[in-house]
Amino acid sequence: MAGSGQLVTYRVEAEVGLPMSAAAFAEAVDQTLGDERGWVKRGYAFQRVPQAPLRIVLASPDTTDRLCHPLQTRGQVSCRSGNDVVINARRWVEGAESYSGDVERYRQYVINHEVGHSFGLSHRSCPAAGAKAPVMLQ
């Protein structure tokens, strides 16, 4: 278990047939959620268990579209839908332009951002030019 606040249990899954390691994805999720700079600092604790209600899943673009419906992900973005945090495998590999090729940092962002939606948090805007962007910035 990571953190000492409000307990959030989660499970990690990866769509069968993806060309990336499901174990590496699960490890990235565990490390991100356990990072003391993230949600743990905001009073959450995380524990991965096999039957948790919160499912964090790595999915192909087509499966992402299906799991995120009615949100139109167009095979490009990730989402939170019900108890599912759906991470688009294409973006998991390629990252996002705004991260200038820093795929690892993008991965941390997308996990934290979509888990934030599972807490009921909405998108935020940037507080000021040159300021640190909040994790809920779209």
Side-chain angles (χ1 to χ4, degrees):
M1 185 165 69
S4 60
Q6 178 184 339
L7 180 61
V8 176
T9 58
Y10 66 97
R11 59 190 159 125
V12 179
E13 298 177 8
E15 182 178 340
V16 174
L18 292 175
M20 62 270 306
S21 165
F25 174 68
E27 183 178 331
V29 170
D30 292 344
Q31 287 179 351
T32 298
L33 294 179
D35 192 316
E36 303 238 346
R37 298 169 296 172
W39 294 118
V40 168
K41 186 176 182 177
R42 300 283 185 164
Y44 291 94
F46 295 92
Q47 184 175 21
R48 181 162 43 124
V49 297
Q51 297 301 318
L54 178 61
R55 179 174 79 139
I56 302 172
V57 60
L58 182 65
S60 67
D62 287 342
T63 300
T64 298
D65 288 347
R66 184 175 50 78
L67 292 174
C68 294
H69 186 80
L71 180 67
Q72 298 295 309
T73 59
R74 295 178 177 80
Q76 297 296 316
V77 297
S78 301
C79 79
R80 192 273 313 166
S81 178
N83 287 331
D84 289 343
V85 165
V86 184
I87 306 299
N88 187 312
R90 174 182 292 148
R91 292 291 284 273
W92 185 255
V93 171
E94 297 174 2
E97 264 185 60
S98 57
Y99 278 79
S100 304
D102 189 343
V103 174
E104 185 174 326
R105 209 173 63 149
Y106 170 76
R107 290 173 177 175
Q108 292 169 338
Y109 158 78
V110 74
I111 292 166
N112 278 319
H113 181 90
E114 299 304 340
V115 167
H117 283 310
S118 78
F119 298 153
L121 301 175
S122 299
H123 290 138
R124 304 250 334 261
S125 45
C126 196
K132 285 188 175 182
V135 74
M136 295 312 294
L137 183 72
Q138 191 169 24

